[in-house]
Amino acid sequence: MRRRIGDKLSLALVITNLSELRLLIGQVAEAEQALAFGRQACGPGIPGTRLAHFAVAAARIHLAKGNTLEASAEIRRAIDGASSSRDGNKLCECYRLAARVALDDGDVLRAETALGLAREKASTDLARADIAVLEAMAARAKGAPYAVAARQALDLARRAEDAELAREAHLLLHFDAVATGDGRAARLHLDAALTQRNRIAFSLPDEMRRRFLARRELAELALLESSFGNAPAE
């Protein structure tokens, strides 16, 4: 019995990792299919921490599709599962994802509440970088200063070697430079954000690259590349 449960736990982790990897490169339908297979294969009786893995992956898929209501429902399930297993790292991830969904909804107060809970559980550079990015996004959304949080996020993202968070931090610093009239810094941070995006994009085959670049999160950067990217730095 213990071996069967252990096999299911290992399968759950492999499937959710595969689903999130597919999502990272823009294969949303394939990520959804992998997750559905994993849930069916594992069946009932999975401990809360693995249920949380499935729910987090499902929430990320819904967010990628712009379905924030469904994403929020999955996050609540993930938080319940991670809380029952006392998995602090997974709880931190849940709260960070909850903040992203809230920001996508335009609900800054809800995002800040989730970030407060995430900060209590943060124990890695990756978690702290994600929180700093989200704090900067929340501050920008409500018209407050955010450059300090964005610079901190960039430092932490570099330490964690996370290209996605580094791209988001550079993009925030680009917006801050535009707002303060620093054209040179704006161009430098835009170029840096594009470099981080392209680190992943240019490592993929053509069809995968096309789908990666079509991700919702990269749409704004693509617009800036076409409109601002060719302008000379001041």
Side-chain angles (χ1 to χ4, degrees):
M1 176 65 74
R2 287 184 180 178
R3 182 175 179 179
R4 286 200 299 271
I5 292 174
D7 289 345
K8 284 188 175 183
L9 291 176
S10 297
L11 178 62
L13 188 56
V14 169
I15 290 295
T16 52
N17 285 344
L18 174 61
S19 178
E20 294 197 18
L21 178 59
R22 289 188 179 279
L23 195 61
L24 174 66
I25 59 176
Q27 296 181 337
V28 179
E30 291 87 343
E32 205 164 13
Q33 290 164 7
L35 193 64
F37 168 78
R39 279 176 158 168
Q40 183 177 14
C42 290
I46 297 296
T49 184
R50 291 303 180 254
L51 287 175
H53 278 77
F54 279 122
V56 164
R60 292 192 188 280
I61 290 169
H62 284 305
L63 181 58
K65 296 164 70 175
N67 300 332
T68 55
L69 185 64
E70 293 87 344
S72 295
E74 290 288 359
I75 289 169
R76 287 192 291 272
R77 282 189 274 273
I79 289 171
D80 287 344
S83 297
S84 68
S85 64
R86 298 181 181 179
D87 187 341
N89 288 333
K90 183 54 66 175
L91 262 177
C92 182
E93 183 183 359
C94 291
Y95 291 132
R96 283 157 28 216
L97 184 53
R100 281 190 180 273
V101 172
L103 288 171
D104 203 69
D105 271 339
D107 191 337
V108 177
L109 181 59
R110 195 171 95 227
E112 289 179 331
T113 299
L115 286 171
L117 294 168
R119 276 193 297 273
E120 295 175 5
K121 302 292 183 182
S123 61
T124 65
D125 285 337
L126 178 64
R128 295 185 189 100
D130 197 14
I131 290 168
V133 164
L134 292 164
E135 286 175 336
M137 288 179 174
R140 180 173 179 248
K142 66 180 183 182
Y146 59 90
V148 172
R151 290 191 195 96
Q152 180 187 15
L154 182 57
D155 289 342
L156 288 166
R158 284 169 171 165
R159 199 180 305 170
E161 299 183 344
D162 192 287
E164 289 274 290
L165 291 175
R167 170 182 55 76
E168 290 182 320
H170 276 300
L171 192 55
L172 285 162
L173 290 167
H174 163 79
F175 290 132
D176 181 70
V178 169
T180 57
D182 189 340
R184 183 175 180 80
R187 179 62 179 267
L188 288 173
H189 283 296
L190 177 60
D191 287 346
L194 291 168
T195 297
Q196 295 299 329
R197 182 199 67 183
N198 293 341
R199 279 178 60 189
I200 299 174
F202 292 157
S203 69
L204 300 172
D206 290 346
E207 176 58 20
M208 284 188 182
R209 183 184 308 127
R210 183 189 66 77
R211 296 176 70 178
F212 170 75
L213 293 174
R215 287 169 52 198
R216 284 180 73 230
E217 306 94 305
L218 297 177
E220 188 173 35
L221 183 55
L223 288 173
L224 288 168
E225 182 180 22
S226 60
S227 62
F228 189 96
N230 293 324
E234 293 178 6

